[in-house]
Amino acid sequence: MTDQTTTHSGRSLTAIVLAAGKGTRMRSDLPKVLHAVAGRSMLGHVLAAARGAGANRIAVVVEPGQEAVAREIDALAPGAGIHPQAERLGTAHAVLAARAALEAGDDDVVIAFGDTPLITAATLARLRAPLAQGCAVAVLAFETPNPKGYGRVLVQGGRVAAIREEKDADEAERAVTLCNAGLMALAGRHALDLLARIGNANAAGEYYLPDAVGLAVADGLGVAVVDVAEEEAQGVNDRVQLGIAEAALQRRLRRAAQVAGATLVAPETVFLSHDTRLGRDVVVEPHVVFGPGVTVGDGCVVHAFSHLEGATLAAGVSVGPYARLRPGAVLETGARVGNFVEIKNARLEAGAKANHLTYLGDAVVGAGANVGAGTITCNYDGVNKHRTIIGAGAFIGSNTALVAPVSVGAGAIVGAGSVIATDVAADALAVARARQRSIPDWAPGRRAALEAEKAARARKP
Ligand code: UD1
Ligand code: MG
């Protein structure tokens, strides 16, 4: 829900996203900013928020050599600049790695962090708003009873004076509870000058971006403080914080789904992705997982313990309990998918049913067709995938194997237990199983023989 477009006053905006850093405490082969929350990388969330805040130019500062990060940027924000920061010398130094973007001369610059995925487009838009009023710098800040580790926003005579990093703060400054969230907006016409004058004479020997505040104040330029909830500004440095961010994002997504008219029977057990779309009067029962790319139409019911990803459900569809919809599952109006049914890259047209114990892969099931319990599309020959086409109104008997490529015509009936390897014409009956043989009065004799054998064994020592 971070992608909402926000109005701005026709001013151009560069967003600089700081994403350098190995993220050592993640203990991972994956670069930190590529770890996912709610089905999208942290970097992806921040890029979406930047777009949503109106950024016409995006520059990402990256750790040199992290090819996977560059690929993610190209995929999610094509055209964004990628700027390696050769040495990690501080946040102001990192911003200057994107000097080319600053030199492009946009009106506003916002600086976000790639490991702060809860930040919303709306907050970035609020952060830049004071620039349109003539401020040179806007800092995002929150009040917290536990400010340890954060830079403190120092206020004198009701005005912001500076930001002091924890390491450099004296005792009185450490008692300040107004904290710098780290994200900042700079007026484009002052940005390069302020950044170039930031030095590194501090406890960490780093170029601190928040020093832009003190410099702007000394120049008599306007500095604004924009408030934010601490949760939204939370950074992720390890897997514990990743879990905390996930939980916070899930709460936000569930709430948005509820507000939009979906019933989540047990909200805390439903897991959504950043792009999950639930229509009006959708009911989601407990313990349902939505992976990325799911759209659920009005009035659908998703029963308990179902797992959906890359699936599109039209209105009035029923799924589960215990259903698995994989990418490319398309269920048209009123289709029904029951328990222990897996659907992959397959379309069920209006009113089609697959209610029990079935696998449909690379298939089309025509309108109103009924797929019996235990039906399997044998779509894979070990090398290639093949398609199965079932016509409208066809009836597939239970425990049928459909050996693709194969088609069953409209209105045809397939007898239970069939292995269908050649096409079935419309309205035909196809039965492909051994013919049944019944022998009258055969069973009692067989039972008597078995019991006699057992008695003989018992008499032997
Ligand atoms: C920063 C702020 C602090 C604020 C806090 C909020 C500074 C100096 N301090 O501290 O006031 O309260 O965030 O969480 O800015 N980065 C680079 N290159 C660098 C250094 C950092 O790309 O050379 C990136 C990091 O990947 C990260 C972000 O900048 O995404 C912030 O850096 P971090 O080291 O986490 O700063 P903090 O010490 O948390
Ligand atoms: Mg940090």
Side-chain angles (χ1 to χ4, degrees):
M1 304 284 123
T2 49
D3 316 56
Q4 78 240 52
T5 309
T6 333
T7 51
H8 53 99
S9 46
R11 296 164 62 90
S12 57
L13 172 66
T14 291
I16 299 181
V17 179
L18 304 189
K22 294 194 168 53
T24 322
R25 280 159 59 199
M26 297 296 281
R27 314 241 187 279
S28 176
D29 294 335
L30 192 66
K32 177 168 77 172
V33 294
L34 296 188
H35 282 261
V37 287
R40 173 162 69 182
S41 69
M42 294 197 277
L43 181 57
H45 284 277
V46 179
L47 292 172
R51 268 272 142 69
N56 50 286
R57 190 185 317 280
I58 296 181
V60 190
V61 177
V62 301
E63 184 85 12
Q66 288 186 339
E67 288 306 317
V69 174
R71 279 197 301 275
E72 178 82 341
I73 296 164
D74 284 340
L76 297 183
I82 300 177
H83 306 271
Q85 184 192 17
E87 273 183 290
R88 198 183 160 82
L89 300 179
T91 44
H93 180 264
V95 175
L96 280 172
R99 175 182 285 276
L102 293 165
E103 284 170 348
D106 284 327
D107 300 314
D108 299 346
V109 177
V110 296
I111 295 144
F113 295 166
D115 64 356
T116 305
L118 296 169
I119 199 74
T120 63
T123 296
L124 291 182
R126 280 196 303 119
L127 180 59
R128 67 182 289 214
L131 305 180
Q133 258 77 65
C135 283
V137 179
V139 276
L140 198 61
F142 55 86
E143 279 284 356
T144 174
N146 182 19
K148 194 169 188 307
Y150 290 114
R152 309 300 206 281
V153 180
L154 307 182
V155 178
Q156 274 166 15
R159 291 177 165 227
V160 184
I163 293 176
R164 189 79 71 236
E165 292 305 303
E166 166 109 3
K167 280 182 185 162
D168 300 287
D170 62 29
E171 211 171 316
E173 290 167 341
R174 281 186 197 185
V176 171
T177 51
L178 184 60
C179 293
N180 174 27
L183 290 74
M184 201 170 277
L186 301 174
R189 65 182 196 284
H190 295 296
L192 271 170
D193 172 60
L194 290 170
L195 289 163
R197 283 152 58 205
I198 291 172
N200 66 348
N202 53 51
E206 284 187 8
Y207 297 88
Y208 291 158
L209 174 63
D211 282 357
V213 170
L215 291 170
V217 169
D219 289 355
L221 298 170
V223 177
V225 176
V226 174
D227 68 306
V228 69
E230 183 179 2
E231 180 183 273
E232 201 184 319
Q234 253 166 30
V236 171
N237 297 307
D238 58 32
R239 310 267 185 156
V240 175
Q241 290 170 336
L242 186 70
I244 291 169
E246 177 77 44
L249 209 44
Q250 289 298 337
R251 279 195 298 276
R252 192 190 282 173
L253 291 167
R254 289 169 191 141
R255 198 183 155 76
Q258 291 170 316
V259 167
T263 294
L264 310 183
V265 175
E268 64 289 352
T269 69
V270 173
F271 292 84
L272 300 160
S273 278
H274 66 100
D275 59 352
T276 306
R277 300 265 175 273
L278 303 182
R280 225 179 134 87
D281 291 319
V282 166
V283 175
V284 181
E285 289 186 356
H287 299 285
V288 172
V289 175
F290 292 92
V294 177
T295 299
V296 179
D298 293 346
C300 290
V301 180
V302 183
H303 293 281
F305 300 104
S306 293
H307 189 285
L308 297 79
E309 64 180 315
T312 305
L313 282 60
V317 166
S318 170
V319 166
Y322 298 99
R324 178 165 187 217
L325 303 186
R326 292 171 53 199
V330 176
L331 310 186
E332 295 184 354
T333 310
R336 302 179 73 84
V337 168
N339 40 258
F340 305 107
V341 172
E342 175 181 349
I343 312 263
K344 185 220 74 172
N345 188 31
R347 189 169 84 242
L348 270 63
E349 294 177 349
K353 288 179 285 190
N355 276 333
H356 334 266
L357 302 158
T358 286
Y359 172 60
L360 296 172
D362 304 305
V364 176
V365 180
N370 185 86
V371 177
T375 296
I376 304 290
T377 53
C378 309
N379 60 324
Y380 185 51
D381 58 17
V383 179
N384 300 299
K385 302 282 174 63
H386 302 283
R387 292 178 67 72
T388 299
I389 312 290
I390 297 171
F395 180 95
I396 310 297
S398 296
N399 198 31
T400 291
L402 297 159
V403 183
V406 73
S407 69
V408 175
I413 295 177
V414 172
S418 290
V419 175
I420 300 296
T422 54
D423 292 352
V424 178
D427 290 327
L429 166 69
V431 186
R433 61 181 186 232
R435 180 171 289 278
Q436 181 171 331
R437 200 172 74 144
S438 297
I439 305 175
D441 299 325
W442 185 85
R446 173 64 176 159
R447 257 192 305 274
L450 290 172
E451 271 157 16
E453 276 171 29
K454 188 176 178 185
R457 276 200 308 277
R459 279 197 299 278
K460 285 197 180 139

